[in-house]
Amino acid sequence: MLEFLLALLTTATVAALLWPLLRMRLPARDRLSAELAIYRDQLAELERERDAGRLKPAEAAAARTEIERRMLAAGDAAVATVKTRTATDAAQKWLPPALSLFVPLLALGLYLQTGRPGLPAAPFADRGTEHAPAPQQLDVAGLLKEARARLAQDPNDADALAALGEGLTLEAGGTVTQPALDALRRALPARPDDARILYYLGLHEAQSGDSKAAIARWRDLEAKSPPDAPYLGLLRAEIARVAKAAGIEMPQTQTPQSTMPTPSREQQEAMAQLPPEQRQQAIRSMVEGLAARLADTPQDRAGWLRLANAWKVLGENANAADAYGRADTLAPVDARILADWAEAHVRQLAPGAVPSAQAVAVLERLEKAEPRNALALFYLGVAAEAAGNKPAALQRWKTLLALLPADAPIRGMLEERIKAAGG
C-alpha cells in the first residue's frame, strides 16, 4: 500500500493511467495483465520521449529501470496471489488511484501516530511463524502436498510437520483432527516457541472442552510474544471468544502502544487548509519531529516502523532503511517488513549499480523468508554476478524467469542477462 503511495507522490502519470483500470473493475485474474499493459504503455511513452530528445539518455535509463522494477514487483505479487488466494494480498499491491495528493499526505500524518506497521494479511503458513495463526483461504491442497513431500525427504522436519498440522486442520474446516494433532505434537519439541504450533494446540484443547488449558497456552504465547507481534490482536480476540463461551472471567490487560502523541483535530483542520507545498512541508516537519522524539525513546519499535514507512512515502529511502534497521535491532522484523526494508535499499541504487552489503544482507533474509520473492531473486542475482559467482546468479534468475508470466515484458531483459552470464 505504501509502495503505491510513494509512486503516486513521485509519478503523477501513473495515477492518470491507472484511473480507467479502477473504473473498469477488472476481475482479479486480469489484474496482472492490466498492470503489465500499463507498464508497456509507459515503456513506449518513455521511448518516444527519448527519441524526441525530451529526455536525456541517463534519465531515460533511470526511468526504464524503475518501470522494470515495478514489473518485477507485479510478477512477484501475482505469484503470491496464485499461491495464497487471499483477497488481502491483492489489496496490498496498490492503493486505488482515485486518491489525490492531499489524501495520502493527511493520512500519513494520522498514520504516524495511529498506524499498525506489520499487520498481517497473508495465511500463516505462507508468512512464517510471526504471523497470525487465524485460518484464511489458501491453497490447502498445495500446502499439504508440499509438507508431505518435505516429510518424505526428512520425517523430522519440524516446519513441515507444523505445516502439515495446519493444512490438515484447514482441510477439516478449522477442526484440529487427530492426524493434525499428531503432527503438531511431533513438531513441538523442536520448535517449542512456534506461534503457529502453540495456537493450533490451544485450538485443539478448546475444541476438546478444555478451555482453561487453551487459554493458559494462549496467554503464555501472548506473554512471550514481542509487544508488536502482528498476530497478537487476533490471538487476544480468540482468547476472549473462548473465555466468554466457557464463562471464564479474564483480567484486563493493556496493549503496549507507541508513546507518540496523536495530532489534535485543530492540527488536522489547519493542515487541510494549507496549499499543497506548505502541506508537504508540514508533513515533513511531522516526520522530522517523530525522528527527534525517537532519539529520546529509542526503544519504541513501533515508532521506528512508523518512521521508516513515513520516510519511504516521502522518498527518503536512506532514512527509511536506517529506521527499519533500528526497529530490527529491537526485535527481528517479519517477511513483509523485510520486503519494505529491501525495497528502501534497492530504490537508492543508480541504474546498473550493485546492491550494497547492507542491502544484500536484508535481501538474503527476505529470500530465506520468501524463496520466491522476485525482488530478492533479481538483486541477489545481480550481487552474485558482480562477485564473480555466475552459477548463483543464473540459479536465481532462472528461478525468477520460471515465475514470471509468459507475456511479462521484463522476461526479455532477464533472458538477456541470463544469456550474457553464460546461461
Side-chain angles (χ1 to χ4, degrees), residues 84-113:
T84 62
R85 307 291 186 186
T86 58
T88 48
D89 280 342
Q92 260 184 279
K93 290 186 292 186
W94 302 109
L95 190 69
L99 293 176
S100 64
L101 178 61
F102 164 74
V103 175
L105 288 175
L106 182 58
L108 172 62
L110 297 175
Y111 177 77
L112 290 174
Q113 313 303 333

Side-chain angles (χ1 to χ4, degrees), residues 6-71:
L6 179 58
L8 185 63
L9 291 173
T10 57
T11 314
T13 57
V14 174
L17 290 170
L18 286 177
W19 175 248
L21 177 62
L22 178 64
R23 294 176 63 86
M24 291 169 63
R25 301 179 64 86
L26 292 175
R29 62 179 179 272
D30 292 332
R31 184 166 299 160
L32 177 60
S33 298
E35 290 180 12
L36 293 177
I38 291 169
Y39 293 138
R40 284 194 292 268
D41 289 342
Q42 291 180 7
L43 288 171
E45 178 65 21
L46 181 63
E47 293 299 323
R48 289 193 293 270
E49 290 291 311
R50 187 191 64 180
D51 293 342
R54 289 189 289 270
L55 275 180
K56 296 180 180 179
E59 295 173 342
R64 173 175 285 276
T65 298
E66 174 62 13
I67 294 172
E68 290 173 346
R69 185 201 63 76
R70 292 179 186 172
M71 289 177 178

Side-chain angles (χ1 to χ4, degrees), residues 71-240:
M71 289 177 178
L72 283 173
D76 183 43
V79 171
T81 301
V82 171
K83 184 177 179 182
T84 62
R85 307 291 186 186
T86 58
T88 48
D89 280 342
Q92 260 184 279
K93 290 186 292 186
W94 302 109
L95 190 69
L99 293 176
S100 64
L101 178 61
F102 164 74
V103 175
L105 288 175
L106 182 58
L108 172 62
L110 297 175
Y111 177 77
L112 290 174
Q113 313 303 333
T114 62
R116 296 181 60 191
L119 187 66
F124 192 95
D126 283 354
R127 306 300 273 178
T129 58
E130 287 184 311
H131 284 268
Q136 301 183 33
Q137 287 189 348
L138 72 160
D139 183 3
V140 177
L143 174 64
L144 289 172
K145 181 178 179 180
E146 181 180 355
R148 285 166 175 153
R150 291 169 58 187
L151 289 171
Q153 297 179 353
D154 180 5
N156 296 317
D157 186 331
D159 183 66
L161 285 168
L164 178 63
E166 177 181 44
L168 291 172
T169 299
L170 297 178
E171 185 180 50
T175 299
V176 183
T177 62
Q178 188 60 45
L181 180 63
D182 292 341
L184 293 167
R185 285 175 172 170
R186 285 177 58 194
L188 183 62
R191 306 187 69 161
D193 296 324
D194 190 306
R196 170 174 50 178
I197 296 173
L198 295 174
Y199 171 79
Y200 284 115
L201 287 176
L203 184 61
H204 167 73
E205 290 165 339
Q207 293 172 350
S208 300
D210 195 348
S211 299
K212 289 185 178 180
I215 292 173
R217 187 184 297 274
W218 287 339
R219 290 293 300 273
D220 181 64
L221 172 59
E222 177 188 19
K224 61 187 179 184
S225 296
D228 60 345
Y231 55 76
L232 280 179
L234 296 175
L235 181 64
R236 288 167 179 151
E238 192 70 1
I239 292 173

Side-chain angles (χ1 to χ4, degrees), residues 108-115 257-265 267-268 286 289-294 297 300 303 306:
L108 172 62
L110 297 175
Y111 177 77
L112 290 174
Q113 313 303 333
T114 62
Q257 300 283 339
S258 172
T259 59
M260 301 304 166
T262 302
S264 67
R265 185 181 185 88
Q267 290 174 318
Q268 298 175 32
M286 292 179 64
L290 174 58
R293 289 193 294 271
L294 284 170
T297 57
D300 186 355
R306 289 174 186 149

